[in-house]
Amino acid sequence: MYWHVAFAWSRSCALELGRNKSLSLGLCGSEEDLSLYGYIIAYPLQECGGIMSALGVDSWWRKTLYITGGALLAAAAYLLHELLVIRKEQELDSEDAIILHQFARPKTGVPSLSPFCLKIETYLRMADLPYQNYFDGKLSPQGKMPWIAYNKEQVCGTEFIIDFLEEKLGVNLNSSLSPQEKAISRAITKMVEEHFYWTIAYCQWVDNVEETQKMLATNGPLSDMLRWILSQVTGSIVKREMYGHGIGRFSKEEVYSLMEKDMRTLATFLGNKKYLMGPELSTVDAAVFGHLAQAMWTLPGTRPEQLIKGEFINLAMYCERIRRKFWPEWFVDVDDLYYDGLSEEPDSPSQLPDLGLYSRSGSFQEQESALSHHDTPSPDSDATGHSLFDSDMDTECSETEHLK
């Protein structure tokens, strides 16, 4: 670990702590020694007049002591921070545990404002793989988010993460697909992640940045300023990357026209099917859900919300079907599934609980048992009282009753 600190005196002298070998310590029972490097230099900032004349002969030693003490305290505080971070990582870095690094939960009930973070966490739940969230905001060595750590191995990029888990743990959500269906599945995934994603990002961080800014999770007395800075920086990055991609060179109306075409393609392909590739889940459902969920629940009153809750209502029911099955703690009012042109941000949004270590097999059945049908038709049921969302629990129950 390296540190570099400098203090400037109010007159004409500076005290600098640079990098040089000083001492070596063994900390926290670690097998490796933690080395500190540093040197202290005091030098005049002006060519005329030495250090003694700048600080004053009578009090020079006292001021030097104060500055040196402050520098040592700053170095100690930084070292303590690093040790706490290392200890936290050691606690999470347990054997055979999937550690998912992603952005912090938003202030609303949505799990993530990032389609890719939501995609990979939903995939882990679909594959019933226990994992632990680490909301550190730290990017991977490749500068990507999300990324996972598993038995000292780090993997970033959602496609490579899924490939890694399939190889290491033997899971495969696409095992029932034919080679042709796998090709179609990949084509849909790439359309969503390489094209539709940029239209959603434009709506989130450029056209609707004020509302997105309110959802960012920040704490402290300067949280409002920090949210504003984060939203402006992210918006600038998105605009620059969209321009490099090519889609950012079009007008606002043209960008939304491309978004509508992508959503229409998804709605047409889904049709009346339960999931995109048929009655069973596959990896493409995690990718599409991660992106459509942004239009469903993070962009109130915008064009994508109008489309998904209006003309493309089958996509809304598709998202709700997956939310109910794999996110039982993520509460959404059923009335919110239909866009009436009067959408407002709720006064007291429900915060999504941090479940930490998550495993669907242990507690999902208890959660899902509460999702029973009402005797009278409701907005999410047809005239016979059957759910329009057609969850797996509904199917299993009806099949059991039929066998009886």
Side-chain angles (χ1 to χ4, degrees), residues 207-403:
D207 192 34
N208 200 52
V209 66
E210 292 81 7
E211 293 299 321
T212 304
Q213 174 183 327
K214 299 175 183 178
M215 301 181 189
L216 297 177
T218 56
N219 300 313
L222 300 177
S223 58
D224 292 339
M225 180 181 295
L226 182 57
R227 278 197 296 269
W228 182 85
I229 294 174
L230 289 174
S231 62
Q232 295 302 314
V233 170
T234 304
S236 299
I237 295 174
V238 168
K239 285 190 286 188
R240 184 177 68 249
E241 293 185 349
M242 285 185 65
Y243 190 86
H245 176 276
I247 197 172
R249 303 170 191 242
F250 300 119
S251 66
K252 172 182 175 180
E253 291 74 18
E254 290 172 327
V255 171
Y256 281 127
S257 174
L258 294 174
M259 170 189 289
E260 182 175 349
K261 290 179 179 179
D262 287 346
M263 295 181 72
R264 188 181 303 278
T265 299
L266 291 173
T268 302
F269 184 79
L270 176 63
N272 296 324
K273 298 194 297 290
K274 187 174 183 179
Y275 301 111
L276 282 168
M277 302 310 298
E280 297 183 10
L281 283 161
S282 58
T283 304
V284 66
D285 292 301
V288 173
F289 173 76
H291 288 73
L292 290 180
Q294 309 303 318
M296 275 282 292
W297 295 298
T298 71
L299 297 168
T302 61
R303 181 62 177 153
E305 187 199 46
Q306 296 171 15
L307 289 172
I308 197 170
K309 296 180 181 178
E311 183 179 359
F312 308 133
I313 190 64
N314 65 329
L315 294 180
M317 294 188 292
Y318 166 80
C319 289
E320 176 64 6
R321 187 178 302 131
I322 294 178
R323 183 201 65 81
R324 286 190 176 190
K325 183 173 177 60
F326 298 105
W327 292 93
E329 76 280 20
W330 175 7
F331 174 77
V332 175
D333 191 348
V334 174
D335 293 337
D336 187 49
L337 290 175
Y338 303 91
Y339 182 80
D340 55 9
L342 301 175
S343 296
E344 296 180 358
E345 186 174 358
D347 295 332
S348 56
S350 57
Q351 180 71 31
L352 185 73
D354 178 15
L355 297 184
L357 187 64
Y358 177 85
S359 176
R360 186 170 64 89
S361 59
S363 59
F364 175 68
Q365 294 297 335
E366 298 178 1
Q367 294 284 350
E368 199 173 33
S369 62
L371 300 176
S372 59
H373 297 305
H374 297 288
D375 295 334
T376 59
S378 61
D380 61 340
S381 60
D382 59 19
T384 63
H386 290 86
S387 171
L388 294 174
F389 306 113
D390 191 23
S391 68
D392 280 353
M393 179 61 71
D394 300 330
T395 305
E396 292 171 3
C397 291
S398 61
E399 290 177 354
T400 303
E401 293 175 358
H402 178 71
L403 292 175

Side-chain angles (χ1 to χ4, degrees), residues 188-212:
I188 295 174
T189 300
K190 291 305 149 186
M191 181 197 74
V192 169
E193 295 183 348
E194 304 297 339
H195 191 267
F196 180 64
Y197 162 77
W198 292 109
T199 65
I200 289 293
Y202 174 83
C203 190
Q204 281 182 317
W205 299 105
V206 180
D207 192 34
N208 200 52
V209 66
E210 292 81 7
E211 293 299 321
T212 304

Side-chain angles (χ1 to χ4, degrees), residues 108-121:
T108 59
V110 182
S112 180
L113 294 176
S114 166
F116 294 98
C117 290
L118 183 54
K119 168 193 173 180
I120 200 64
E121 189 169 4

